[in-house]
Amino acid sequence: MSITESVVIPILTVALTLGGGWVVTTRVTDRWEQVKKNREMDLSAAQEFQLLYGEFVAIWKTWNSLTDGHTPVTTPEHIGSGCLERAAAAEGQIEALLAKLAAERSLTEGEIDMLGGVRQAFKVVRRSIRRGEAIAWSSSGAEPYVAIKSLSAATSVLLSTTPTARNRPSPAVAARNFREITDNRHEGSWISSAQRLA
């Protein structure tokens, strides 16, 4: 064996080992960073949803304390117009969050029904304000209130659980999912969607 062979082969072996280690380490680090980023985004979305649920309850309680249930909100001067604006803003934020979910996750039909139910549940407050009616959920066992609590808890779990595989739906599937989530068919079935969760 020549001196060149005795020097070059070990140097090449070391270089290949270091290069291979660098490639593997870089790929593992990149993958871990992506997992962390996805997890942070999921937790942020869950926190945003939980804040919106809190806003929903705050608007409901404020509205019920402002109205006797006989005065529809027809003018900006009406005492409930601030509640109406807040309710509409919360609905808009829910809609944006649902669009994000439809774009980022492969959803089952059950999850689509659950998210469609959440969307409809959030409309209850705005609709009651527009009609000038108090929201008649006098106890924690009132069926619509139980339904929104169930739907909200299940949605929080969905948002805070990072999928094992980050297979995003195609644009066509995401669009279909969002159309299904926002379909008005959920208007009459959101309470039964919540009951299926139990």
Side-chain angles (χ1 to χ4, degrees):
M1 182 180 289
S2 71
I3 293 179
T4 305
E5 290 175 338
S6 64
V7 171
V8 170
I9 292 175
I11 289 175
L12 281 175
T13 302
V14 168
L16 289 174
T17 301
L18 289 175
W22 177 79
V23 168
V24 169
T25 302
T26 301
R27 290 187 64 125
V28 168
T29 301
D30 287 346
R31 176 71 180 126
W32 178 247
E33 288 300 318
Q34 187 62 44
V35 167
K36 280 180 32 182
K37 180 181 172 190
N38 289 341
R39 181 72 179 141
E40 288 169 5
M41 288 174 23
D42 290 337
L43 291 175
S44 175
Q47 182 179 25
E48 179 183 352
F49 177 77
Q50 291 155 0
L51 290 172
L52 287 170
Y53 177 78
E55 178 70 356
F56 170 87
V57 172
I59 297 164
W60 158 36
K61 298 292 186 177
T62 301
W63 172 247
N64 275 3
S65 69
L66 289 176
T67 185
D68 59 4
H70 300 294
T71 312
V73 177
T74 56
T75 63
E77 299 80 32
H78 186 277
I79 195 164
S81 65
C83 285
L84 182 61
E85 288 175 15
R86 287 173 60 198
E91 272 187 61
Q93 290 173 307
I94 284 293
E95 193 99 3
L97 190 57
L98 294 174
K100 179 182 186 322
L101 270 171
E104 291 181 351
R105 296 194 181 224
S106 296
L107 299 169
T108 66
E109 289 303 315
E111 290 167 338
I112 287 171
D113 287 344
M114 176 185 69
L115 296 171
V118 165
R119 178 178 176 263
Q120 289 300 324
F122 267 76
K123 292 176 177 275
V124 168
V125 171
R126 180 183 51 82
R127 288 176 176 158
S128 293
I129 293 169
R130 290 288 301 156
R131 290 189 306 264
E133 299 172 355
I135 299 165
W137 301 343
S138 57
S139 76
S140 62
E143 190 176 49
Y145 188 36
V146 170
I148 193 166
K149 289 188 289 186
S150 297
L151 290 167
S152 295
T155 300
S156 288
V157 169
L158 176 66
L159 285 165
S160 62
T161 304
T162 303
T164 53
R166 269 292 177 177
N167 295 332
R168 291 182 184 262
S170 69
V173 170
R176 183 196 67 80
N177 287 347
F178 191 56
R179 279 193 311 272
E180 289 296 313
I181 290 167
T182 58
D183 191 287
N184 285 338
R185 69 182 159 86
H186 300 290
E187 187 172 345
S189 64
W190 68 273
I191 292 175
S192 60
S193 292
Q195 291 168 339
R196 283 192 296 273
L197 294 171

